[in-house]
Amino acid sequence: CGGMALRFRTTPAAPAQAATTQLAKGQPLDIAYQNVYTWLVENRKLASSFPHDLQEMRAKLSTAIDQLPTFPEFEQTAQEKDSLTYFDCMHIFDILREKNPQKTLIGSFTDPIVREWSTLMKAYTKSNLHLGDSAQRLTSLISADLPAQRKILAKQVREIEELRRKEDEALSASKRYEKQFERDCGEMGVQGRADLKAELVAQLPALPSMLAKFLKTLVDDESLRKAVSMYRGCVTHISRHGSDTSGPVEAPLPILAEVLALDPTTLEKYLAAPQPPAAPPSEPSASPAILEVVSSSTEAPPPSDLPASADSVTAADTTA
């Protein structure tokens, strides 16, 4: 600025007398950043018509940016033309000057675009427009943009910490689920590593004995028999004596009643019998005992009436 060096600070500036002494000695001026524009105006480094001149200059730059050639360096320039500074414009002018350096005999550029940008840069530095524009943008950056960027940075740091915490939790859960999977596979007698589907299909021959054990548990449960007998008797009684019921009454829980009517001796013999060899995975075989149970449950008609006691229910179902 007229041969003087400016040093901007974010702390309060030195007194005016100290600044005058520094100026007299040719030392850099220590000026607070928020007072740079004011200092330039008060020391008449900017013309009184600076705001109007700067507005006109930005309008000319906007028009010149729209007429730039399609160079790869200028792909984002048109989108950011409202936020370009003097230094950005100088960078654009340097690129244009490097690509078209030819000049005429009087020293002007032969390319009209380069010549126009050369004129704009001279007008930008006239009356220190570039200093006033830079001072305003400096104040805006420090007062508004930097605090906003600090907030964004702090938010991103918190998000990174949260993502790291979630990553640790996911890894811990993954290890826990892997151990649980290994335990479950061990209980089922499979490895669960190479081909889990084939190993599960190979366990199909064990299903008949498992189902037989389940059926035997149901048959031996006397409390279940009493509960089923009471429920069927209650539902049948309500269905018969209801005012809106006509025709035959279907007994409830027919399949469960038929299961309870199975002979425990038959189930014990089946459990004691040797199991058939394992069938190929593609053609799993069904147990003859299970087929017999399913066939009998399909062919036997459900009882039309149910006595009140559990013993009579068993006897009637066995007869059927």
Side-chain angles (χ1 to χ4, degrees):
C1 179
M4 295 178 298
L6 300 180
R7 182 172 58 199
F8 304 135
R9 305 189 322 119
T10 58
T11 57
Q17 184 178 1
T20 304
T21 304
Q22 293 174 350
L23 181 60
K25 293 181 179 180
Q27 298 177 357
L29 296 180
D30 192 0
I31 303 173
Y33 74 92
Q34 66 269 24
N35 298 330
V36 174
Y37 177 75
T38 305
W39 187 92
L40 292 173
V41 173
E42 291 178 352
N43 288 270
R44 299 180 180 180
K45 304 302 179 182
L46 297 177
S48 59
S49 59
F50 166 76
H52 180 266
D53 297 341
L54 182 60
Q55 186 176 2
E56 288 185 351
M57 175 56 62
R58 289 178 177 174
K60 293 178 181 179
L61 288 173
S62 178
T63 303
I65 289 173
D66 294 336
Q67 298 176 357
L68 285 175
T70 57
F71 292 155
E73 297 86 349
F74 302 151
E75 291 180 356
Q76 302 294 331
T77 304
Q79 302 177 1
E80 301 174 354
K81 61 181 180 180
D82 294 335
S83 60
L84 294 180
T85 64
Y86 166 76
F87 306 100
D88 297 325
C89 296
M90 279 298 300
H91 180 64
I92 295 174
F93 176 60
D94 292 339
I95 294 175
L96 294 173
R97 185 168 51 184
E98 290 177 0
K99 294 184 179 294
N100 298 285
Q102 297 82 8
K103 293 186 178 181
T104 62
L105 294 176
I106 60 176
S108 62
F109 292 95
T110 58
D111 187 84
I113 297 179
V114 181
R115 187 167 56 249
E116 180 183 4
W117 274 87
S118 176
T119 304
L120 288 174
M121 291 298 97
K122 292 179 181 178
Y124 215 146
T125 56
K126 183 180 180 181
S127 302
N128 295 327
L129 284 178
H130 63 301
L131 291 179
D133 187 20
S134 300
Q136 288 182 348
R137 293 185 182 274
L138 176 65
T139 304
S140 176
L141 284 173
I142 299 177
S143 302
D145 294 350
L146 287 183
Q149 293 298 324
R150 288 194 187 98
K151 292 181 180 179
I152 294 175
L153 179 60
K155 180 180 179 182
Q156 291 177 346
V157 169
R158 291 193 299 269
E159 291 178 354
I160 291 174
E161 293 176 353
E162 181 67 17
L163 291 175
R164 287 177 178 173
R165 184 186 63 80
K166 291 182 178 180
E167 181 183 10
D168 295 339
E169 293 179 354
L171 292 176
S172 177
S174 175
K175 294 179 181 179
R176 186 171 62 254
Y177 293 148
E178 184 177 1
K179 293 181 180 179
Q180 181 64 34
F181 175 75
E182 293 177 354
R183 287 195 298 268
D184 294 343
C185 289
E187 293 177 359
M188 298 177 64
V190 297
Q191 296 294 329
R193 295 298 183 184
D195 191 352
L196 180 60
K197 180 180 179 180
E199 293 180 3
L200 292 176
V201 172
Q203 300 292 326
L204 288 178
L207 285 178
S209 61
M210 294 174 59
L211 293 176
K213 291 179 181 179
F214 175 71
L215 293 176
K216 187 175 185 302
T217 303
L218 291 179
V219 172
D220 294 342
D221 193 348
E222 190 65 25
S223 60
L224 179 62
R225 290 176 176 274
K226 294 181 179 180
V228 171
S229 175
M230 183 178 298
Y231 176 78
R232 296 187 67 185
C234 180
V235 173
T236 303
H237 177 77
I238 294 175
S239 301
R240 283 182 174 179
H241 296 82
S243 57
D244 55 348
T245 304
S246 59
V249 178
E250 181 180 359
L253 305 178
I255 297 178
L256 182 57
E258 186 174 354
V259 170
L260 294 177
L262 293 176
D263 186 8
T265 306
T266 304
L267 294 175
E268 292 177 357
K269 290 181 180 179
Y270 177 78
L271 291 175
Q275 299 298 323
S282 58
E283 298 179 0
S285 60
S287 172
I290 297 298
L291 295 177
E292 182 180 355
V293 171
V294 174
S295 176
S296 61
S297 63
T298 305
E299 297 175 358
S304 59
D305 195 1
L306 181 68
S309 63
D311 297 335
S312 59
V313 171
T314 306
D317 292 339
T318 305
T319 306

